[in-house]
Amino acid sequence: MSESNGRITTRGAVVMRAEAVTKAYGGTHALRGVDFELRVGEVTALIGENGAGKSTLMKILAGVEQPSSGTITLDGEVVAFANPTEALSRGVAIIHQELSLCLNMSIADNIFLGRERVRNGAVDFAAQREETVQLLERLEEPLDPRTTAADLRLGQQQIVEIARALSEDARILIMDEPTSALSHAEVQVLFRLIRELTSRGVSVVYISHHLDECLELADTAVVLRDGEIVARAPMAEVDLPWIVSQMVGRESGDLYAPMAYDPGEVLLSLDGVVVSDPDSPGRLAARDVSFDVHAGEVVGIYGLMGAGRTELLEALAGRNPILAGSVTLDGKDLTGLSVEDRIDRGLILVPEDRQRDGLVQVLSVGRNMALASVGKFVQGLFLNPKPESELLAETARGVKVKMAGFDAAIGSLSGGNQQKVVIGKALMTEPRVVVLDEPTRGIDVGAKADIFALMASQAREGRAVLFATSELDEVLYASDRIIVMARGRVVAELDPRTTSREQLMAIADSPAQATNARNEA
Amino acid sequence: MTATQQSPKTSGSVATTGRTRRPIIGDRGVGEFLLDQRAFVALIVLVIVFALLSDAFLTPSNLITMTKHVAYNAILALGMLLVITTAGIDLSVGSIVGLSGIVAGVMLQGWQLSLFDVTAYPAVWVVIIVALAVGALVGSLNGLLVTRFNVAPFIATLGTMYIARGAALLISNGSTFPKLQGDPELGNTGFSFLGVARPLGIPTAIWIMVAFAIVIALLVNKTRFGRWLYATGGNERAAQLSGVPVKKVKMRVYIISGICAAMAGLIIASELTSAAPQTGNTFELNAIAAVVIGGASLAGGRGTVKGALIGAFVIGFLSDGLVLVGVSSFWQTVIKGLVIVLAVILDQGQERLKKARAAAQAAQSVKQEAAEREAAKAA
């Protein structure tokens, strides 16, 4: 741990370097031979779509994960961090995309968690509070260090996370979506702080879906696509269209052409729906959302992180209450109905997080798939296994799930097949409206194609399909109609046949301009 | 990016998977088979060891006596199994045993209805139904606390444990009701049937245990409620989003557990022909131990009727066997504790094994899919 001697501090010199780094999870590669370098006092924006490998690369730099192959050098010396604490002791700090505060503890306790200031064998709470006050002053967020983290707004919690990284005097600061919960004013404070840090020789890696932020802040842009670095350029030489075309890997105008479709009557109708954020009930996740979904069409909701897609869909399914507005299915009001009533009426959700919300790990494939529709097989007191196994077999063929059998453990399936089981579970209820939240998250390309084909075929059978995604290509490819959400509002309704990636991204990114550019499909 | 790239061979394999009977030992090896059946193996080992140590152990009369002792705990364990499968716990069952006995005692001794200034002597079947209803009532209180007021099951049932015990003490004023055999003149005889009679040479308690076991096994394995039960305990969020009424499920398991406990209380009161308010103290712990030895997970979602029954037999045969071979009661307690801890350690080992296998299979299938995609691309 010899820190002082070999430190590289010359402005513009490479301080940290990743060479030929690969990372494989099971059989899938998240990173394939990535070369990446960080220079003293510079902000490097790491840009790419979801699943491009940005977070994985940063986790490797910060010691959260270890590369499958390749080397990391810091100050010209090869390092292999076993854990984040080791990386931190060398000055590499990371602010994660997911907030990781202990909500039951105070701000000061959180900032010094795991490296408490100790004096005479006891924690020196006064010194910790003192330092916390100073850190928060630098961030222009004068909070009482004794405030419990649970009492903070999401944005304030994010600032505490940032303060924690700063408290360690990091030389390399990795920020993974630090602004997703910040207000515009808070973002400006953060930017000032980042500039102050870089002027003192700190190197920053900045990851954000908001490309305008990257343009404003970064010195260098690095674009990652499918686990490989596809472009690298000084920020002064590039513009938004260049970044987008590098991200998506095609020149603009190169569209998939969704099939012509023939929408039927309105099945699902939202009118002025308001939903609060279940994690922080004071914040509204969706405001005044109105749109219709017709029989026979696939409607895609596109939006960046924090746009309110998941909260809206969960409220449609009955998990979270709808604060205002109405939702009707086939003209009948769904207000106040439970999840099971809505499933009976024909609306079911395929949730975003299949491990947490979609699957029961202790149950077999068959039991999981039949879970939402067991009521169909009740005869007298007992379940009749014959129609159940028949419908299971039929559904499994329909969703093309590959498995050893219905008795197989759900954990023995690949991610794509697990997702097909969750979709099969929804289809077994014979729904009229299928709602899917990020249906292709964390699954491979082949399974993605299967799932999109399935969504299309469900719509052709007269169902209404509503899905949400944060991936440009997917929403353009799989939708008959696109609804764009930003910060809780519907900002545009677009026709995928006449919309380019650039337009879509620009609208989702800057909601203020987009409201004028409403383009009825 | 089309759906046709999936080879028809692989999607066809789905159709052939009907109900395949698993081989008894299969490809897993003997060691793992024994690990899987560890509760049953433990029971066999117990029987063999005690049979070698004592000639009296394996006699029919001793086996029947021991099984009768097992019966109360088994009935409690069956109710507890349902609660634990939903990731809950029911600490109130021991107190319900006491309370149901006292309720039966009060009614058989003469139920003073001060409002009408009469003493009623209800028939035995009325007594039994009222006592079971009291168990169901305490159970529904548990369910209400857990589902409506979001009290953690441990705390909710800890509270009702004291409440039910206190109620038993209040009703009986702390004293025992003796002589529950009833009076032919009052037409309330027959209570002894539950604890003393031996239809077909087998004590009624054992018949009741068998009946409860069959009903609960059917409930768990053959009904919609059974599916809901495992899903609720396995992943409550996923179950809820699949339309499982998780609150209703939880409510019901506590009610069933209360009824099971009340039944056990009736059998004990009948056998002793008296009801004491302290009866059933710490019975809840034996019931939990039986369920856990039987392979259920306190985290929920896992557990079988067969396992809970075997667990009850292991605990019962162990206690009675140690008495029979003359081991001191202090050592009995220590040994029982060791068995419980060992059971859980083995369970953890097996879970790790299962998870590792599932992960390996998943990795395998991912590789296979990648290979198939490559092949499709090449073709």
Side-chain angles (χ1 to χ4, degrees):
Chain A
M1 303 274 157
S2 62
E3 284 204 40
S4 47
N5 302 340
R7 271 196 173 193
I8 293 172
T9 52
T10 324
R11 177 159 299 272
V14 174
V15 59
M16 193 175 198
R17 190 191 297 272
E19 279 170 294
V21 166
T22 63
K23 176 75 187 176
Y25 296 100
T28 47
H29 279 78
L31 293 176
R32 317 157 185 265
V34 167
D35 295 315
F36 181 75
E37 54 187 37
L38 261 179
R39 292 167 193 277
V40 174
E42 285 194 355
V43 177
T44 304
L46 191 58
I47 300 165
E49 287 195 279
N50 282 351
K54 295 168 295 182
S55 292
T56 309
L57 179 58
M58 291 307 107
K59 281 178 182 167
I60 287 171
L61 291 187
V64 180
E65 298 200 17
Q66 284 66 47
S68 305
S69 66
T71 55
I72 310 288
T73 49
L74 179 64
D75 296 327
E77 172 198 343
V78 175
V79 290
F81 299 131
N83 54 54
T85 320
E86 224 175 284
L88 203 57
S89 71
R90 295 291 300 265
V92 183
I94 183 164
I95 299 164
H96 288 287
Q97 192 172 345
E98 301 89 17
L99 296 179
S100 54
L101 297 180
C102 298
L103 291 179
N104 56 336
M105 294 168 73
S106 73
I107 296 177
D109 289 344
N110 267 296
I111 288 179
F112 292 97
L113 191 63
R115 46 201 178 81
E116 288 76 8
R117 299 283 182 263
V118 178
R119 203 176 59 180
N120 301 332
V123 176
D124 189 349
F125 288 108
Q128 291 191 3
R129 278 199 296 275
E130 185 78 11
E131 272 188 67
T132 304
V133 169
Q134 289 168 5
L135 284 168
L136 292 173
E137 263 169 22
R138 279 173 71 189
L139 288 159
E140 297 179 35
E141 191 79 24
L143 295 163
D144 185 337
R146 286 166 298 191
T147 314
T148 309
D151 295 336
L152 300 174
R153 282 185 297 107
L154 209 54
Q156 291 173 327
Q157 289 181 14
Q158 208 151 28
I159 284 172
V160 173
E161 291 263 4
I162 294 165
R164 178 157 72 184
L166 292 179
S167 73
E168 197 57 24
D169 259 338
R171 292 195 294 140
I172 292 165
L173 192 55
I174 298 165
M175 302 179 137
D176 194 351
E177 296 278 357
T179 57
S180 57
L182 296 188
S183 70
H184 184 71
E186 287 167 330
V187 170
Q188 291 312 314
V189 173
L190 180 66
F191 281 11
R192 272 205 297 282
L193 187 83
I194 290 174
R195 291 193 186 102
E196 180 210 313
L197 289 172
T198 51
S199 72
R200 294 192 321 195
V202 173
S203 314
V204 175
V205 185
Y206 192 84
I207 299 179
S208 177
H209 274 112
H210 296 278
L211 297 177
D212 53 341
E213 290 180 9
C214 298
L215 279 169
E216 183 182 341
L217 190 66
D219 300 298
T220 309
V222 174
V223 182
L224 206 57
R225 191 173 71 224
D226 295 333
E228 283 170 284
I229 289 185
V230 292
R232 182 194 327 257
M235 204 49 114
E237 295 173 13
V238 304
D239 55 6
L240 194 72
W242 178 85
I243 294 177
V244 172
S245 67
Q246 293 300 325
M247 277 172 73
V248 299
R250 277 170 291 267
E251 290 301 313
S252 46
D254 170 24
L255 290 183
Y256 292 101
M259 284 191 288
Y261 75 107
D262 178 24
E265 85 274 34
V266 172
L267 273 186
L268 182 72
S269 175
L270 283 71
D271 186 17
V273 170
V274 179
V275 179
S276 82
D277 181 350
D279 295 326
S280 61
R283 193 179 81 88
L284 290 183
R287 326 154 178 240
D288 193 24
V289 172
S290 305
F291 59 82
D292 293 339
V293 186
H294 299 254
E297 72 173 342
V298 178
V299 173
I301 301 180
Y302 176 75
L304 303 178
M305 218 177 113
R309 292 165 289 142
T310 296
E311 292 85 350
L312 178 69
L313 296 192
E314 290 195 341
L316 289 183
R319 139 125 4 123
N320 302 325
I322 289 173
L323 300 183
S326 71
V327 178
T328 55
L329 175 64
D330 241 352
K332 294 192 194 77
D333 194 1
L334 293 181
T335 307
L337 292 186
S338 64
V339 177
E340 53 265 37
D341 290 338
R342 289 173 201 232
I343 292 175
D344 284 345
R345 298 279 181 90
L347 186 150
I348 188 162
L349 171 70
V350 174
E352 177 183 22
D353 187 334
R354 66 177 165 271
Q355 301 304 336
R356 196 182 57 168
D357 296 328
L359 296 169
V360 183
Q361 290 295 336
V362 291
L363 297 183
S364 65
V365 172
R367 288 292 156 88
N368 266 294
M369 202 139 98
L371 182 59
S373 40
V374 274
K376 283 188 205 283
F377 314 118
V378 176
Q379 276 181 2
L381 286 174
F382 301 119
L383 294 173
N384 187 347
K386 198 158 170 276
E388 183 183 0
S389 57
E390 282 168 7
L391 188 57
L392 269 178
E394 188 190 321
T395 310
R397 268 196 303 277
V399 298
K400 296 187 177 172
V401 61
K402 280 186 229 166
M403 58 182 171
F406 289 113
D407 288 338
I410 194 75
S412 67
L413 267 54
S414 67
N417 279 310
Q418 289 187 9
Q419 183 70 351
K420 288 176 182 174
V421 170
V422 181
I423 294 175
K425 176 171 76 176
L427 297 184
M428 266 181 82
T429 67
E430 287 162 5
R432 308 210 58 199
V433 180
V434 192
V435 180
L436 306 99
D437 194 2
E438 296 279 359
T440 58
R441 199 172 86 159
I443 65 178
D444 62 71
V445 181
K448 275 184 191 179
D450 285 349
I451 284 171
F452 287 141
L454 193 63
M455 280 160 53
S457 71
Q458 291 301 319
R460 303 303 165 244
E461 284 172 26
R463 300 197 167 112
V465 178
L466 175 66
F467 80 107
T469 178
S470 55
E471 307 211 18
L472 273 176
D473 270 347
E474 296 197 351
V475 77
L476 285 168
Y477 169 65
S479 321
D480 295 320
R481 194 151 57 89
I482 299 173
I483 287 165
V484 185
M485 280 182 77
R487 308 213 188 257
R489 293 180 194 279
V490 173
V491 293
E493 205 172 307
L494 305 167
D495 184 339
R497 292 162 207 78
T498 59
T499 307
S500 70
R501 280 177 193 75
E502 290 76 8
Q503 282 171 311
L504 191 53
M505 194 174 269
I507 290 170
D509 201 10
S510 46
Q513 305 158 12
T515 28
N516 308 325
R518 213 159 218 265
N519 164 1
E520 287 298 327
Chain B
M1 292 270 279
T2 61
T4 49
Q5 68 188 51
Q6 193 123 25
S7 79
K9 232 183 287 171
T10 47
S11 49
S13 71
V14 165
T16 60
T17 50
R19 267 186 74 84
T20 45
R21 192 149 280 288
R22 260 169 286 157
I24 295 174
I25 294 185
D27 54 2
R28 297 173 301 167
V30 178
E32 206 178 316
F33 173 72
L34 292 180
L35 184 62
D36 195 34
Q37 300 293 322
R38 61 193 170 278
F40 193 62
V41 172
L43 185 61
I44 303 284
V45 170
L46 275 182
V47 169
I48 292 172
V49 169
F50 284 125
L52 292 175
L53 290 174
S54 161
D55 291 337
F57 187 81
L58 222 49
T59 58
S61 72
N62 185 52
L63 284 176
I64 287 178
T65 310
M66 289 196 305
T67 306
K68 190 179 169 190
H69 292 163
V70 167
Y72 330 125
N73 190 26
I75 293 170
L76 291 178
L78 288 166
M80 187 70 76
L81 170 73
L82 301 185
V83 175
I84 284 180
T85 307
T86 66
I89 194 96
D90 189 352
L91 299 179
S92 67
V93 293
S95 297
I96 296 175
V97 166
L99 181 61
S100 102
I102 289 296
V103 166
V106 143
M107 293 173 77
L108 289 165
Q109 290 275 304
W111 195 3
Q112 265 142 28
L113 301 167
S114 47
L115 193 60
F116 305 105
D117 201 19
V118 290
T119 304
Y121 292 93
V124 166
W125 65 268
V126 177
V127 171
I128 291 174
I129 286 174
V130 171
L132 294 180
V134 167
L137 189 75
V138 179
S140 58
L141 181 60
N142 285 332
L144 207 64
L145 289 171
V146 171
T147 57
R148 177 64 65 85
F149 298 103
N150 281 324
V151 184
F154 189 96
I155 304 299
T157 59
L158 185 69
T160 51
M161 176 180 103
Y162 285 115
I163 294 169
R165 184 67 71 194
L169 287 162
L170 279 171
I171 295 170
S172 65
N173 207 8
S175 56
T176 300
F177 292 101
K179 297 187 198 137
L180 299 185
Q181 53 272 70
D183 188 333
E185 283 183 23
L186 298 169
N188 64 353
T189 55
F191 187 60
S192 62
F193 175 78
L194 288 177
V196 184
R198 289 178 162 238
L200 304 175
I202 296 196
T204 318
I206 296 178
W207 290 115
I208 295 175
M209 170 183 79
V210 171
F212 270 58
I214 290 173
V215 169
I216 292 192
L218 287 173
L219 187 69
V220 161
N221 296 318
K222 299 284 175 203
T223 68
R224 177 170 65 165
F225 177 76
R227 299 289 179 86
W228 285 352
L229 179 74
Y230 285 103
T232 301
N235 185 347
E236 190 173 330
R237 293 175 63 103
Q240 204 180 12
L241 272 183
S242 301
V244 174
V246 292
K247 292 194 170 179
K248 207 188 276 178
V249 171
K250 289 184 179 178
M251 193 77 199
R252 284 190 204 164
V253 296
Y254 286 101
I255 292 174
I256 294 171
S257 179
I259 293 173
C260 288
M263 192 69 236
L266 287 172
I267 296 169
I268 294 172
S270 167
E271 187 182 11
L272 301 174
T273 61
S274 71
Q278 287 298 352
T279 306
N281 215 355
T282 73
F283 277 21
E284 63 278 353
L285 301 181
N286 278 331
I288 296 168
V291 172
V292 169
I293 289 175
S297 160
L298 288 182
R302 213 149 52 78
T304 61
V305 169
K306 189 184 90 179
L309 282 179
I310 293 175
F313 271 91
V314 167
I315 287 188
F317 278 21
L318 186 68
S319 308
D320 284 4
L322 290 171
V323 172
L324 203 66
V325 300
V327 175
S328 89
S329 68
F330 304 148
W331 273 112
Q332 289 174 30
T333 314
V334 172
I335 291 170
K336 194 156 91 183
L338 289 175
V339 168
I340 293 167
V341 172
L342 185 69
V344 178
I345 291 174
L346 288 175
D347 189 62
Q348 293 295 332
Q350 193 194 18
E351 276 308 290
R352 265 202 300 277
L353 216 63
K354 273 189 196 159
K355 282 207 180 106
R357 175 167 300 130
Q361 271 173 16
Q364 181 66 38
S365 60
V366 167
K367 266 186 210 145
Q368 198 182 326
E369 278 163 34
E372 274 170 25
R373 242 196 334 279
E374 290 300 317
K377 230 181 252 173

